[in-house]
């Protein structure tokens, strides 16, 4: 919805608001730099320096570019590719330590690269920022599960479920207003 809001503001000619919401969409996990570069709805933003910065950010934070079909790779090749992604996101978090999405992506790359133990601090950092709480908690559960730490895994799984429940209650209450 944040991306669509950016498009709507762009179409209205409200560049500052369009750029603000495009940045918010990227921070929240919108992961399609190709669409950011080609969507006609964003034409009014393209001449702005901030737009070019946001396109670069979208490219830097894209997680999907590292995701190929697992059936096409041997496990060792897939892990090597994810270790490359880990290096990329590790460097990004060093230069952008307050980017919650980058911490989340670093954790994800570490899990996929076979480094579940190292994923935990990255996911905890993303969680400290409040980034996609249910999903981040679920990924913490996955990391602990991969380490065969069942109590921690179930603890995080139940926290993720509770976070989803709370989000649903907030959404229901908001719709009732």
């Amino acid at each position: 919805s944040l991306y669509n809001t950016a498009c709507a503001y762009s179409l209205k000619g409200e560049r500052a608001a369009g750029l603000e919401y495009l940045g918010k969409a990227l921070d929240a996990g919108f992961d399609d730099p190709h669409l950011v570069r080609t969507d006609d709805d964003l034409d009014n933003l393209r001449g702005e320096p901030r737009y070019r910065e946001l396109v670069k950010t979208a490219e830097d934070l894209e997680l999907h570019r590292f995701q190929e079909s697992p059936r096409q790779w041997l496990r060792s090749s897939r892990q090597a590719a994810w270790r490359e992604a880990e290096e990329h996101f590790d460097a990004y978090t060093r230069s952008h330590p307050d980017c919650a999405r980058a911490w989340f992506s670093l954790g994800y790359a570490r899990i996929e690269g076979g480094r579940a133990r190292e994923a935990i601090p990255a996911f905890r950092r993303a969680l400290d920022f409040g980034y996609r709480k249910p999903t981040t908690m679920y990924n913490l559960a996955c990391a602990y599960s991969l380490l065969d730490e069942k109590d921690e895994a179930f603890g995080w799984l139940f926290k993720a479920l509770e976070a989803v429940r709370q989000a649903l209650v907030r959404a229901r209450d908001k719709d009732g207003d």
Side-chain angles (χ1 to χ4, degrees):
S1 65
L2 294 168
Y3 179 79
N4 290 334
T5 302
C7 291
Y9 278 122
S10 174
L11 289 168
K12 286 176 60 178
E14 296 183 25
R15 291 184 180 125
L19 292 166
E20 176 187 349
Y21 274 89
L22 183 56
K24 287 180 180 184
L26 296 174
D27 289 344
F30 183 79
D31 199 24
D32 190 345
H34 175 74
L35 187 59
V36 172
R37 285 190 306 274
T38 62
D39 190 340
D40 294 345
D41 291 349
L42 298 177
D43 282 350
N44 286 326
L45 307 181
R46 296 201 199 291
E48 300 291 325
R50 177 75 175 126
Y51 171 79
R52 289 187 292 280
E53 291 171 15
L54 291 171
V55 168
K56 173 79 169 97
T57 298
E59 292 167 347
D60 284 342
L61 292 175
E62 182 184 17
L63 188 59
H64 293 298
R65 73 171 179 235
F66 298 104
Q67 295 175 328
E68 295 293 328
S69 170
R71 290 183 293 262
Q72 295 175 356
W73 292 356
L74 298 172
R75 181 181 182 96
S76 60
S77 297
R78 189 171 66 244
Q79 284 185 341
W82 280 108
R83 295 237 172 108
E84 180 184 329
E86 176 185 351
E87 290 174 17
H88 170 78
F89 289 117
D90 187 47
Y92 196 89
T93 59
R94 282 195 306 277
S95 62
H96 301 84
D98 294 334
C99 182
R101 180 177 168 190
W103 286 104
F104 177 89
S105 295
L106 176 60
Y108 189 88
R110 285 178 172 169
I111 279 184
E112 292 294 328
R115 295 168 31 90
R117 173 85 50 215
E118 292 80 4
I120 292 167
F123 283 130
R124 285 187 181 257
R125 184 68 189 250
L127 192 58
D128 288 345
F129 287 110
Y131 185 77
R132 299 176 64 191
K133 289 172 94 172
T135 304
T136 302
M137 290 173 180
Y138 174 82
N139 282 321
L140 278 163
C142 291
Y144 282 109
S145 176
L146 289 167
L147 296 169
D148 202 31
E149 296 182 22
K150 294 175 184 153
D151 290 341
E152 283 291 321
F154 278 115
W156 282 106
L157 185 59
F158 291 132
K159 288 178 186 178
L161 290 169
E162 178 60 19
V164 169
R165 188 194 68 74
Q166 289 175 1
L168 291 171
V169 167
R170 281 192 304 276
R172 182 199 66 211
D173 291 348
K174 184 179 177 184
D175 286 343
D177 289 341

